[in-house]
Amino acid sequence: MNKYVAECIGTFWLVLGGCGSAVLAAGFPDVGIGLLGVSLAFGLTVLTMAYAIGHISGCHLNPAVSVGLWAGGRFETKELLPYIVAQVIGGVIGGGILYVIATGQAGFDVVASGFASNGFGEHSPGGYSMTAALVAEVVLTAVFIIVIMGATDKRAPAGFAPIAIGLCLTLIHLISIPVTNTSVNPARSTGVAVFVGDWAVSQLWLFWLAPIVGGFIGAKLYNMFAKESE
């Protein structure tokens, strides 16, 4: 159970830290932390938790990462579903804590604010289409898995994986916040969407499908080009 509790806590921290920075601090009051600050916040949640729980659960914090590592032969099939369940529970807890904090401000409207939910079309921050959102999420998740598998490869320098992974997630957010508000993580998307309901839930399918497909592709690609040098 220690692994599942660690994944739950870690994903809770990712949603509270990353989405919390977007909801509470991105534009506060007139000049907030902005896109760069939110991107760094997501990267820092993974970086800090990788050092805190990496030795317990591997610090996946993301169903797409768990699926990718499974597809790449780095993760056992029997652990896949329990990890995903723990991650989603942690994400929803993080979203719940954030909801309690955010609604403590007079006049806060969770639906109107978007609550850091992921979306496409009229719910994309930059008005990007469903196709653009799908491509961005698949490709960026694939690259994320390649970085994770490469940084944690036994041939990689020891001890630096959390830094590479955290900075990769930061870069992913810098690229795709305008497109989808950046998911690459179904648990992160679910954790806030359930409190918005409405459009956030109706568009949630894309932010499960695309990251999981991207995770699978990234793992297969890494094993393909890394195999010869083993």
Side-chain angles (χ1 to χ4, degrees):
M1 284 297 295
N2 289 351
K3 294 181 289 187
Y4 311 138
V5 171
E7 283 296 302
C8 183
I9 292 171
T11 312
F12 152 81
W13 181 233
L14 183 145
V15 171
L16 181 60
C19 296
S21 70
V23 172
L24 305 175
F28 176 82
D30 297 312
V31 180
I33 62 174
L35 185 151
L36 176 59
V38 173
S39 299
L40 283 169
F42 273 100
L44 288 170
T45 62
V46 172
L47 173 62
T48 52
M49 273 296 155
Y51 282 115
I53 67 168
H55 54 287
I56 301 171
S57 69
C59 192
H60 296 188
L61 317 186
N62 182 341
V65 170
S66 296
V67 169
L69 293 177
W70 167 78
R74 302 266 193 99
F75 193 55
E76 293 184 71
T77 302
K78 67 179 182 179
E79 298 281 19
L80 188 56
L81 183 58
Y83 262 56
I84 291 173
V85 170
Q87 291 155 1
V88 172
I89 291 172
V92 173
I93 293 171
I97 296 295
L98 179 57
Y99 179 83
V100 171
I101 296 169
T103 54
Q105 182 185 50
F108 181 83
D109 187 328
V110 68
V111 176
S113 72
F115 203 52
S117 293
N118 303 113
F120 53 84
E122 65 178 309
H123 301 295
S124 158
Y128 287 84
S129 68
M130 183 181 72
T131 300
L134 186 66
V135 170
E137 291 289 329
V138 169
V139 171
L140 293 174
T141 309
V143 174
F144 191 37
I145 296 301
I146 289 170
V147 170
I148 290 171
M149 292 186 69
T152 57
D153 195 297
K154 62 185 179 182
R155 296 163 291 174
F160 293 99
I163 298 172
I165 295 166
L167 288 175
C168 181
L169 189 60
T170 298
L171 177 57
I172 286 170
H173 278 78
L174 288 172
I175 295 167
S176 61
I177 284 178
V179 183
T180 62
N181 234 359
T182 310
S183 171
V184 301
N185 185 338
R188 167 262 187 269
S189 299
T190 303
V192 288
V194 295
F195 294 94
V196 176
D198 197 47
W199 64 267
V201 171
S202 69
Q203 294 192 353
L204 187 58
W205 64 270
L206 187 144
F207 302 104
W208 272 88
L209 176 64
I212 286 175
V213 170
F216 189 89
I217 292 171
K220 295 301 182 182
L221 281 174
Y222 182 79
N223 281 348
M224 189 184 300
F225 71 74
K227 189 174 182 181
E228 288 185 9
S229 57
E230 289 182 347

